[in-house]
Amino acid sequence: MVRGFNIPNQRVLAGAGASLKKLITDFSIHFVWEKKWFFIAMVVGIILLSFPTPNGLSREAMIVLSMSIVATILFVTEPIPLPAVALLIILGQVFLLGSSSSDVSKTLWNDSVLFILGSLMLAVGVVKQKLDKRIAWVIVRITGTKTSNICFGISVVSGLLASFIGEHTVAAMMLPVGITLVTLTSDDPKKVRNLAAVLLFSIAYGCSVAGIGTPSGGARNAIMIGYWREFFFDPSNPETQKFLIDYVRWMVFAYPMFLIQLPFVTLVLFLTFKPEYRDLSRAVVKLRAQVESEGPMKAADWVSIVLFLLVLMGWIFMSDSVGMGTIAILGATAFLISGLVRWEDINSGVNWGVVLLYGAAISLGIEMKETGAAIWVATNFLNLLEPFGASDGFGLWAAVSVLTTAVTNMMSNGAAVAVLGPVVLKMAVVAQEDPIIIGFITAISSAFAYLTVVGTPACTIVYASGYLKTTDFLVVGWKMALISIVIMLGAAFLYWPYLV
Amino acid sequence: MADTYVDQKDLFERRKERYRVLVCIDGSDESYRGLSYAAQAATNKNSDIVLLYVRPIDQGLRSGGLQVRVARENMLSWGLELPGITYLKRGLEQLISGDELSADWHEKITHTDIDGDPLGDNKIEYTNEVGQTIVLKLKTAATIASGILDQYELGPYDLIILGDSGSWGGWAKSLWDPAVAEKVAMHAPCSVLVARGLERGHGHLLCTDGSERAMRMVKRSATVSNRIGSKLSVMAVARDNEDKAEAQENVDIAVAELKSLGVDVVNAFTRVGNPFEEIIHAGKEYSFIVVGSTGKTGLQRFFLGSVSFKVMEHAKNSVIITR
C-alpha cells in the first residue's frame, strides 16, 4: 500500500524525451520568472538608449542616465546579487560610455570607499571584543530594573556608541543583551512578545537615529561628504573651502538632531507596544550572575577600549589632514597587529561586496555630474515640482526629504544616497539653495527607513534574531519616520541657516 | 567518493520503502496543527516524521556590509538559541507527549557546514525501538520554498505538510505566505497538505473528475483513510446540466472503487457550476478538501491555471493535493 506513493518517480523515468522537454520548459520559465526584473531592467535600458537624445542632454549623459535608471531598478528588485550590479556599472562605463579602463578604476576608489572598508573591518574587531555584557551591566546599574528606564538606557547607550562606530556594529553587539533580558524574564515567547518588541526596537531605532550623528555613523554620511568635495570644492577658490565638511563640523550640524530624537524612541515604543512586564528585576539578577562569571576586566579589554578611543580622537582631530578613511584603516590595522581580532573573523564577517557596490555607485554618481546628466534631471525635476510650490525654499526641502525617505525604504540607505546625491545637489544649485543644507537633508533622511526590515542595517540585524515580525516595523515605523522628518525640517529651518 | 554515492543511493532506496512525512515548522499554531495530523498519519512502524525549519541565507548587504553572522555568533556565544531551534524543539515535545507515538527515543546529532553561515544545516535524529524516526532539521536556503524542495531531493517523502497562516503574510518575503505553499505544491513531486484553520474530525472530501489521475487520488486517499481512520466523502462538479450525468457517473465509479478497497463513503454528491467555486463551497463542511494534481506541465499551468491550485489558493480550510 505504501508503494502506491512512489508513482511520480516512475513516471519521471517513463518518458525520457517528454521529461526533458518538461525540464527545459520548467527551467526556462522559472529562470525567466525568477529573474524577470533583470530582463525588465535590461529592456528599459535598451528602450531608453534607443530614444533620440532630448534637448540639452548629451549622448554621454543619456547613457549615464539610462545606466542609473537600470541600476536603480536592480537595486530595488534584486533579481541578481547586488555586487553583480556594481560589476555591471563598471562594464557599462567601459563598453557603453567608452571610458578607458584605468579612468573607470580611478573613480572606483576614494576616501569614502576607503572609509567604508576600514570601518567595516573595525566593526568586526569591536564586536569580537565581547564587551557587550559589561556594557549591559553598566546600563542596568544606572537605570535600575524598571522596564521603561532600561529601554531608555539601552537606546541612549546604543545611540551614543552607534553615532561613532556605526549602527551595524552596535546592533550586532547589543542584540544578545536585548534577547537575554527577554529570555531571562520568561521562556514562553508568547508571554513576552511586547517586551521583546520594546527591548529590540530600543536597540534598532536607538542605533538608527544615531547613524546620522557623525560622519563615521554610517556609510551614507561618508558618501555625502565625498560628493560635496567632488562637486563643489575648487582648490583655487578659497570661497569653496566651506564645502570640505570635516568630522566636527558634521557633528555640529547633525549631533543635536540625534539627541533630540532619542527620547522619542522610547516614548513611541511604549505608546505602541505595551510590555507585559513593568519590572525586569528577575532578569537583571540573572544577568548580574552572568557578568560576574566573566571575572574582572582583562588587559586585552583595556587595550581594545584604548585603541577604540584613539580611533575616535583620530577621526575628530586628524581626519581633516589625512582623511577619515585612513584613520579607519589605521584602527583596523591596529586591532589586527595587537592580535585582538583574527583576520579570519574579519574576512568572514565583512561582506566585501558592499565595498564594491558603494565604489561603483559613487563612480556612477560622479559620471552623472561630469556628463551633465545630474543637472539635466535636477532642472526637469524642479520644473515638475514648481506647480506644487516645492521648487525652492521649505517646499523643496520637504520634497527632497520625502523623496529620500521613500527611496531609502526600498533599498539600502548607502545606495540611496549614492544614487540620489548627485541629483539633489544639482537641484540645490539650480534652485539657488545651499547645497550643504540640501545634502544634509538627503543624508539624514536616508536614516528614516524605519518602516521595513531592509531599510537600515540595524533593523536587518535585529530582525535576524527572529523575535520580531515584519508587521511590527510598519506599526511603529511610520510614527518614528513622521517625528524624525518634523525634527529634521525644524533643524533645517531654525538651526542650520546659522551655521552655513 | 564512489562509496558515499552508493550509500546515498542505497539510503534512497530504503527510504522509498517507508512512509515519510515532511512537516514544515515556522512556529505558527497552524504548523503545529499540521504536525498533529502527521503524528496520526505516521503511527505505523514503517513511518518517519521529519520536522523542517528553513531560514533564508543572510544578506550581508542589507546589514550595511557587516554579515549578520557576526551578530548570530555573538548570540551563540551568549548561550542563546537561534530562532528555529526553539520551534523545532516545541514540535518534538508535542510529538512525543502525544498518544500516537511511544516515548522511548535515542538521539543522534549531525551537522553540515553551509558556506557563509555559522549555523549551516543541523539535524537531530531520534529513533525508537520500533524503528520509527523523528528528525529535526534546521536548514539554510536562499528562499523558504527552495529549502523545502531541496529537502525533498535529499530523500523522497510521501507527504509534505505546511501551514498557511495569514499572520506572517504581507508583501515582505515572510515565512509561509501563500506564495511559499503555492510554490511547494506546484513543484513538489509528492502530495502536499496545506493546513489552514485545521479542525480534525470532519472527514475528507474527495473531488473527482473521472480522470485517471483523480482515480489514483481516490485510491491513495483510501490508504490514508485506512491509516488514520478518517471519514471519506466524494463529489464531482458538472459545468452545466448536460454534464450532470457524467459527473454522477464519476462519483459512482469512485464510490465503487472505495467500497472495493474496504472504505465506507459517508456522502456522495454532484454539483453544477464553476468547479473551483463549488468545491470550495461544499468543502467548508469538511476538515480537508482532497484534489488530484493536474497533469499540466509548467507552461500550461502558467497560462491556464488549474482547478487544483485555485482551490488551494482560495479555500478557507485545509487542502491536500495528491500526486
Side-chain angles (χ1 to χ4, degrees):
Chain A
M1 282 193 330
V2 178
R3 287 208 148 237
F5 285 85
N6 296 323
I7 287 171
N9 297 325
Q10 288 162 9
R11 195 173 61 210
V12 171
L13 294 173
S19 60
L20 185 68
K21 195 179 143 201
K22 185 177 174 295
L23 197 72
I24 293 170
T25 50
D26 274 13
F27 171 77
S28 54
I29 284 175
H30 298 143
F31 183 78
V32 174
W33 189 246
E34 298 279 311
K35 310 256 170 202
K36 58 182 180 289
W37 280 106
F38 175 74
F39 293 104
I40 292 173
M42 287 299 135
V43 169
V44 167
I46 292 168
I47 292 174
L48 284 174
L49 283 179
S50 58
F51 271 152
T53 316
N55 255 351
L57 201 61
S58 70
R59 184 67 196 158
E60 283 75 30
M62 180 80 183
I63 293 170
V64 172
L65 196 56
S66 311
M67 277 169 59
S68 305
I69 291 168
V70 171
T72 309
I73 296 176
L74 294 177
F75 278 152
V76 174
T77 56
E78 286 184 45
I80 56 173
L82 289 183
V85 183
L87 300 177
L88 279 178
I89 291 174
I90 299 172
L91 293 175
Q93 287 188 38
V94 175
F95 286 114
L96 297 175
L97 213 54
S99 313
S100 85
S101 171
S102 41
D103 284 349
V104 175
S105 308
K106 272 178 210 150
T107 59
L108 286 175
W109 205 248
N110 59 25
D111 188 59
S112 307
V113 183
L114 204 62
F115 168 75
I116 292 162
L117 178 77
S119 63
L120 281 176
M121 297 199 288
L122 206 54
V124 177
V126 170
V127 177
K128 289 285 170 198
Q129 299 315 310
K130 304 261 177 289
L131 291 168
D132 34 21
K133 274 199 179 116
R134 301 191 191 282
I135 296 171
W137 184 235
V138 170
I139 294 176
V140 291
R141 267 232 302 255
I142 295 173
T143 61
T145 56
K146 252 181 91 184
T147 311
S148 51
N149 290 353
I150 290 181
C151 285
F152 185 61
I154 286 181
S155 47
V156 168
V157 172
S158 304
L160 288 175
L161 286 172
S163 64
F164 292 106
I165 52 175
E167 50 182 284
H168 38 67
T169 323
V170 178
M173 214 161 78
M174 298 297 283
L175 179 61
V177 176
I179 296 175
T180 304
L181 284 174
V182 173
T183 49
L184 289 181
T185 302
S186 167
D187 290 334
D188 187 357
K190 287 205 173 117
K191 279 194 193 147
V192 284
R193 248 207 57 67
N194 288 341
L195 179 68
V198 288
L199 277 169
L200 295 180
F201 273 116
S202 293
I203 298 171
Y205 286 174
C207 293
S208 296
V209 296
I212 60 171
T214 72
S216 55
R220 54 183 185 276
N221 304 347
I223 293 173
M224 186 48 79
I225 290 178
Y227 276 152
W228 276 321
R229 185 180 50 230
E230 193 69 41
F231 278 43
F232 302 108
F233 177 60
D234 176 4
S236 59
N237 184 356
E239 278 277 292
T240 59
Q241 197 69 33
K242 66 170 185 168
F243 291 108
L244 290 179
I245 301 285
D246 61 28
Y247 204 88
V248 176
R249 200 159 145 75
W250 180 289
M251 280 182 71
V252 172
F253 270 90
Y255 218 79
M257 252 201 74
F258 148 59
L259 294 177
I260 294 170
Q261 280 184 344
L262 256 182
F264 286 100
V265 173
T266 317
L267 194 68
V268 167
L269 287 177
F270 270 77
L271 289 178
T272 312
F273 306 100
K274 306 256 179 308
E276 294 85 349
Y277 294 82
R278 291 270 158 207
D279 192 275
L280 298 180
S281 37
R282 206 172 136 229
V284 169
V285 170
K286 290 188 203 161
L287 183 72
R288 177 190 196 140
Q290 282 196 14
V291 176
E292 277 170 356
S293 70
E294 298 261 297
M297 294 273 282
K298 295 179 207 64
D301 295 340
W302 288 112
V303 173
S304 59
I305 291 174
V306 168
L307 269 184
F308 179 68
L309 291 176
L310 284 177
V311 171
L312 274 192
M313 307 294 254
W315 269 331
I316 294 173
F317 297 113
M318 285 170 64
S319 55
D320 264 359
S321 46
V322 294
M324 272 170 48
T326 322
I327 303 286
I329 296 281
L330 193 71
T333 317
F335 265 90
L336 277 167
I337 292 175
S338 61
L340 287 169
V341 64
R342 296 181 309 148
W343 171 255
E344 286 70 26
D345 287 333
I346 288 185
N347 193 28
S348 63
V350 174
N351 192 315
W352 305 102
V354 166
V355 180
L356 199 59
L357 185 70
Y358 286 159
I362 294 171
S363 159
L364 191 65
I366 291 171
E367 289 288 0
M368 286 276 286
K369 170 212 159 200
E370 307 233 300
T371 56
I375 199 149
W376 184 83
V377 175
T379 318
N380 282 288
F381 196 63
L382 282 175
N383 289 341
L384 212 69
L385 288 175
E386 203 158 19
F388 304 101
S391 61
D392 56 357
F394 195 73
L396 178 65
W397 297 352
V400 167
S401 174
V402 171
L403 176 73
T404 315
T405 309
V407 172
T408 194
N409 271 295
M410 291 188 286
M411 55 174 148
S412 94
N413 47 23
V417 169
V419 168
L420 287 176
V423 173
V424 295
L425 289 180
K426 284 294 174 191
M427 272 164 72
V429 174
V430 176
Q432 293 181 339
E433 291 287 326
D434 195 312
I436 292 182
I437 289 184
I438 293 281
F440 265 115
I441 289 176
T442 308
I444 289 176
S445 300
S446 73
F448 301 162
Y450 307 111
L451 289 167
T452 56
V453 179
V454 298
T456 66
C459 290
T460 312
I461 289 172
V462 169
Y463 177 72
S465 70
Y467 280 82
L468 299 175
K469 296 181 184 175
T470 47
T471 44
D472 292 341
F473 284 83
L474 288 176
V475 168
V476 64
W478 68 270
K479 298 174 193 166
M480 277 306 297
L482 204 66
I483 290 171
S484 296
I485 290 182
V486 169
I487 291 176
M488 188 198 59
L489 289 177
F493 199 61
L494 301 169
Y495 177 51
W496 294 343
Y498 296 103
L499 299 175
V500 290
Chain B
M1 196 62 203
D3 281 354
T4 54
Y5 178 70
V6 172
D7 271 346
Q8 280 294 327
K9 214 174 155 187
D10 187 43
L11 193 66
F12 209 79
E13 286 304 316
R14 261 187 292 135
R15 280 178 175 172
K16 269 192 186 173
E17 305 291 320
R18 303 179 68 81
Y19 183 73
R20 291 166 57 80
V21 184
L22 179 66
V23 189
C24 310
I25 299 288
D26 65 339
S28 68
D29 292 343
E30 207 62 73
S31 63
Y32 291 114
R33 260 178 257 162
L35 182 63
S36 70
Y37 175 87
Q40 225 179 32
T43 42
N44 182 304
K45 72 177 167 58
N46 270 327
S47 44
D48 303 325
I49 300 177
V50 178
L51 276 70
L52 175 73
Y53 179 87
V54 183
R55 197 160 53 71
I57 286 176
D58 300 322
Q59 287 264 354
L61 293 166
R62 297 237 176 84
S63 43
L66 189 72
Q67 300 279 31
V68 180
R69 67 175 292 162
V70 177
R72 286 197 199 281
E73 279 167 355
N74 204 13
M75 271 174 75
L76 286 173
S77 76
W78 275 64
L80 293 168
E81 281 178 341
L82 299 168
I85 297 173
T86 336
Y87 295 150
L88 289 177
K89 286 205 168 142
R90 209 179 117 201
L92 180 73
E93 258 165 47
Q94 186 194 325
L95 272 182
I96 290 180
S97 62
D99 305 329
E100 287 91 357
L101 301 164
S102 72
D104 214 12
W105 298 88
H106 303 285
E107 195 178 305
K108 191 179 132 198
I109 300 174
T110 33
H111 169 91
T112 328
D113 275 323
I114 296 290
D115 195 30
D117 202 278
L119 218 65
D121 282 5
N122 285 279
K123 188 168 115 171
I124 310 180
E125 206 173 313
Y126 298 87
T127 41
N128 67 0
E129 73 277 15
V130 206
Q132 277 178 303
T133 314
I134 298 179
V135 176
L136 305 189
K137 174 114 190 201
L138 194 66
K139 200 176 170 69
T140 326
T143 65
I144 311 264
S146 68
I148 295 172
L149 291 168
D150 284 353
Q151 184 63 27
Y152 179 89
E153 298 295 323
L154 287 177
Y157 292 87
D158 298 293
L159 178 64
I160 296 179
I161 299 179
L162 36 85
D164 180 20
S165 59
S167 58
W168 285 89
W171 62 272
K173 286 175 186 160
S174 53
L175 301 170
W176 329 128
D177 52 7
V180 173
E182 214 172 310
K183 240 180 172 167
V184 171
M186 199 178 280
H187 301 301
C190 67
S191 303
V192 175
L193 189 163
V194 180
R196 204 181 271 146
L198 180 51
E199 253 182 76
R200 302 255 299 284
H202 300 296
H204 293 50
L205 175 65
L206 314 184
C207 311
T208 174
D209 59 356
S211 69
E212 203 184 316
R213 269 165 213 290
M215 288 316 292
R216 249 192 327 247
M217 174 274 285
V218 168
K219 273 184 217 152
R220 235 169 276 163
S221 303
T223 325
V224 174
S225 163
N226 279 339
R227 207 179 261 282
I228 68 173
S230 66
K231 303 185 195 94
L232 297 186
S233 301
V234 180
M235 82 174 287
V237 183
R239 283 208 175 266
D240 45 44
N241 280 323
E242 284 167 31
D243 292 343
K244 218 177 163 181
E246 197 194 324
Q248 186 61 47
E249 195 186 331
N250 290 339
V251 170
D252 291 343
I253 298 172
V255 171
E257 179 73 38
L258 285 172
K259 281 224 170 92
S260 74
L261 291 167
V263 181
D264 283 330
V265 177
V266 180
N267 232 335
F269 56 92
T270 59
R271 290 281 147 80
V272 179
N274 185 330
F276 97 90
E277 282 171 6
E278 292 298 324
I279 290 173
I280 289 172
H281 188 73
K284 277 182 199 151
E285 311 285 317
Y286 299 87
S287 297
F288 297 98
I289 302 174
V290 187
V291 288
S293 95
T294 39
K296 289 169 182 159
T297 65
L299 193 64
Q300 285 167 317
R301 211 150 51 202
F302 188 79
F303 291 110
L304 302 173
S306 89
V307 174
S308 303
F309 284 104
K310 275 188 192 154
V311 169
M312 196 200 78
E313 206 176 326
H314 298 289
K316 295 278 178 288
N317 48 354
S318 308
V319 177
I320 305 178
I321 293 192
T322 54
R323 280 201 182 84

